[in-house]
Amino acid sequence: MVTATRSRSSEIVGSVEPRIWTRPLRNLSPETSYGFDVVDFAEEIGRPLDPWQRWLVIHAGELREDGLPRFRQVLVLVARQNGKTELLVVLSLFWLYIEAVGLVLGTSTNLDYARESWEKAVTLAEARKRLAKEVPANGVRRTNGEQTLTLAGGGRYKIAASNRKGARSLTVDRLIMDELREHHNWTAYSAAVPAT
């Protein structure tokens, strides 16, 4: 979590390191965290990360000795208007373009919020030549309930509401559960997590 206060010079200052977090098992480097690749990807697509975002992807992307990600689930709590959605957009595209996963599913308690993040990812993918060349002519579907960004290689980014039907019958490689604080029971979690 980043806390910001106004100094006398009106410059925003804060802490990149959160108050509560899991310590790495070893020194983090490009060999021990895929987060460095996320940082590079963000730079390449013109969306450089803020210091707290950089810190987060490096620590959340820690790799075990066997090369697999250390964390299967990452919970992030950051104050409003600090770039959480922007980070999810970058991560979604990283997973599709660099990791070449089959399906990224973005959920939120309000489908409009999930659609907003998805739309930002689509806009960025269409605006950057490097990304746009992998989106076929029919690669973007905007029909209600069928919003999908599909790459030429078959990777997809879909959205769904956080409810008991949200991820049913899907095989999800990366799951985003935005607005988790608005979940008042385990219904959406129980439906989505087994699909991963």
Side-chain angles (χ1 to χ4, degrees), residues 64-83:
R64 301 183 321 203
E65 292 282 343
D66 63 6
L68 293 173
R70 178 180 177 199
F71 303 107
R72 287 189 43 86
Q73 297 180 358
V74 177
L75 178 64
V76 179
L77 178 63
V78 178
R80 297 187 61 204
Q81 303 299 315
N82 275 291

Side-chain angles (χ1 to χ4, degrees), residues 21 27 44 67 74 81 96 98 114 123 134 136 150 159 163 175 191:
W21 57 285
N27 287 334
E44 288 175 28
V74 177
Q81 303 299 315
L96 281 177
I98 304 302
T123 300
E134 294 188 47
T150 304
I159 60 171
N163 59 35
L175 173 65

Side-chain angles (χ1 to χ4, degrees), residues 95-96 99-104 149 154-157 171-174:
W95 293 328
L96 281 177
E99 290 191 342
V101 301
L103 178 62
V104 174
L149 166 64
R156 298 177 299 150
Y157 177 10
T171 300
V172 180
D173 297 290
R174 299 291 184 274

Side-chain angles (χ1 to χ4, degrees), residues 12-168:
I12 296 178
V13 296
S15 175
V16 171
E17 184 178 301
R19 289 179 294 166
I20 301 170
W21 57 285
T22 303
R23 307 285 179 201
L25 297 175
R26 54 194 173 145
N27 287 334
L28 298 179
S29 68
E31 291 74 36
T32 61
S33 171
Y34 71 83
F36 289 92
D37 293 334
V38 176
V39 171
D40 292 343
F41 176 76
E43 291 278 341
E44 288 175 28
I45 64 170
R47 290 292 203 270
L49 301 180
D50 288 341
W52 78 266
Q53 295 167 324
R54 184 179 192 283
W55 186 97
L56 174 62
V57 296
I58 289 170
H59 284 77
E62 182 179 354
L63 299 171
R64 301 183 321 203
E65 292 282 343
D66 63 6
L68 293 173
R70 178 180 177 199
F71 303 107
R72 287 189 43 86
Q73 297 180 358
V74 177
L75 178 64
V76 179
L77 178 63
V78 178
R80 297 187 61 204
Q81 303 299 315
N82 275 291
K84 293 184 298 290
T85 299
E86 180 69 15
L87 182 58
L88 292 176
V89 167
V90 170
L91 280 171
S92 298
L93 294 175
F94 175 82
W95 293 328
L96 281 177
Y97 283 88
I98 304 302
E99 290 191 342
V101 301
L103 178 62
V104 174
L105 181 66
T107 69
S108 188
T109 49
N110 181 329
L111 190 56
D112 286 338
Y113 297 156
R115 184 180 300 116
E116 186 175 322
S117 296
W118 176 84
E119 191 64 56
K120 287 179 181 182
V122 169
T123 300
L124 184 55
E126 293 176 329
R128 299 289 188 258
K129 283 184 183 179
R130 175 181 178 228
L131 304 180
K133 69 182 181 181
E134 294 188 47
V135 180
N138 61 348
V140 178
R141 291 188 53 103
R142 288 187 165 88
T143 306
N144 279 347
E146 297 180 20
Q147 291 90 345
T148 308
L149 166 64
T150 304
L151 302 186
R156 298 177 299 150
Y157 177 10
K158 293 179 61 75
I159 60 171
S162 291
N163 59 35
R164 64 182 181 83
K165 298 177 186 177
R168 295 265 185 224

